[in-house]
């Protein structure tokens, strides 16, 4: 697809041409199969920990949105996959150099060409988003969408870092939980239930 064709499809909300740019979900999930995955959230509390070497030792490191890494000691250095629901400049994306770039937001008009045209691009299904929104009773955060996607994969293990459900706010902004559209209580309960029922999932650090 040309850039003009992409812009027209995005403007007129033509889902099929946009989806044609994406890895199929089955192909994405196959990339996760048998991997030991580190999913790194953006809670400020992670900066007080020393999980960096542990994160970098994973088979696959997934980060979220602007992927803040204030210190290798706390956050590690690798970004193998990036799950996005916000804009990110092409230069910043090139610096992170993820092998997989996942657009998780249902807001297609915000999807940049430099994201959609990357090798390893994945467009998250609107149906999956709406299903998770219904289960939570609120729009899901990028992190929770990624957790839900990984739960459907055959990953060997998934370790969560930097998820305290906004107790310490985010490294990428100053908004409080009341100023964002997510229900972090519902998300915390969702993750706790997953930790209790799926032995592949563990959480490092203190949840909310």
């Amino acid at each position: 697809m040309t850039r003009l064709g992409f812009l027209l499809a995005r403007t007129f909300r033509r889902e099929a041409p946009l989806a044609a740019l994406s890895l199929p979900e089955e192909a994405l999930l196959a990339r996760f199969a048998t991997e030991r995955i580190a999913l790194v959230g953006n809670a400020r509390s992670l900066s007080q920990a020393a999980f960096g070497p542990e994160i970098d030792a994973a088979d696959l490191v997934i980060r979220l949105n602007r992927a803040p890494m204030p210190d290798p000691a706390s956050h590690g250095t690798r970004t193998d996959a990036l799950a996005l629901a916000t804009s990110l400049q092409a230069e910043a994306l090139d610096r992170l150099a993820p092998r997989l770039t996942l657009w998780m937001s249902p807001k297609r008009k915000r999807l940049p060409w430099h994201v959609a045209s990357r090798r390893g691009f994945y467009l998250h299904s609107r149906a999956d988003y709406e299903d998770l929104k219904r289960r939570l009773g609120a729009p899901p955060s990028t992190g929770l969408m990624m957790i839900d996607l990984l739960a459907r994969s055959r990953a060997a293990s998934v370790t969560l870092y930097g998820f305290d459900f906004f107790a310490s706010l985010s490294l990428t902004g100053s908004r409080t939980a009341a100023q964002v559209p997510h229900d972090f209580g519902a998300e915390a309960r969702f993750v706790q239930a997953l930790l209790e029922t799926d032995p592949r999932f563990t959480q490092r650090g203190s949840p909310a």
Side-chain angles (χ1 to χ4, degrees):
M1 180 187 289
T2 65
R3 183 169 186 170
L4 177 59
F6 166 79
L7 293 173
L8 288 170
R10 190 182 69 173
T11 299
F12 292 104
R13 300 181 180 181
R14 296 172 182 161
E15 189 73 5
L18 296 177
L21 295 169
S22 171
L23 288 169
E25 185 174 291
E26 315 83 71
L28 177 72
L29 295 180
R31 299 277 190 101
F32 300 149
T34 73
E35 300 283 79
R36 297 176 302 111
I37 295 173
L39 178 59
V40 186
N42 295 337
R44 292 183 185 181
S45 55
L46 183 58
S47 297
Q48 308 305 313
F51 293 131
E54 189 176 305
I55 290 168
D56 278 345
D59 297 328
L60 185 73
V61 179
I62 304 174
R63 299 186 192 271
L64 306 176
N65 293 319
R66 294 189 173 89
M69 287 178 272
D71 191 321
S74 59
H75 282 70
T77 59
R78 289 172 46 208
T79 304
D80 302 312
L82 183 67
L84 281 168
T86 190
S87 60
L88 188 69
Q89 294 295 321
E91 296 78 8
L93 188 55
D94 288 342
R95 282 196 299 272
L96 292 169
R99 300 197 306 270
L100 296 167
T101 307
L102 292 65
W103 184 257
M104 307 301 289
S105 173
K107 297 177 181 178
R108 304 317 199 208
K109 285 192 175 183
R110 294 185 180 179
L111 172 61
W113 169 245
H114 68 262
V115 171
S117 59
R118 287 183 72 88
R119 186 174 184 178
F121 168 68
Y122 167 75
L123 184 67
H124 193 53
S125 146
R126 286 177 180 271
D128 285 351
Y129 170 86
E130 292 296 340
D131 176 64
L132 187 55
K133 180 180 177 181
R134 178 189 56 77
R135 284 185 278 155
L136 290 172
S141 66
T142 311
L144 202 77
M145 284 189 279
M146 198 65 234
I147 290 169
D148 185 53
L149 188 61
L150 289 169
R152 290 187 274 120
S153 77
R154 293 186 295 107
S157 66
V158 180
T159 306
L160 309 180
Y161 302 86
F163 282 85
D164 66 13
F165 308 103
F166 241 67
S168 66
L169 304 185
S170 171
L171 280 166
T172 59
S174 58
R175 292 188 298 173
T176 66
Q179 295 172 310
V180 295
H182 313 300
D183 183 339
F184 289 106
E187 296 203 359
R189 291 189 293 273
F190 182 100
V191 171
Q192 186 58 42
L194 187 62
L195 293 170
E196 292 171 358
T197 57
D198 191 332
R200 298 176 304 157
F201 279 78
T202 56
Q203 184 170 19
R204 300 286 276 151
S206 299

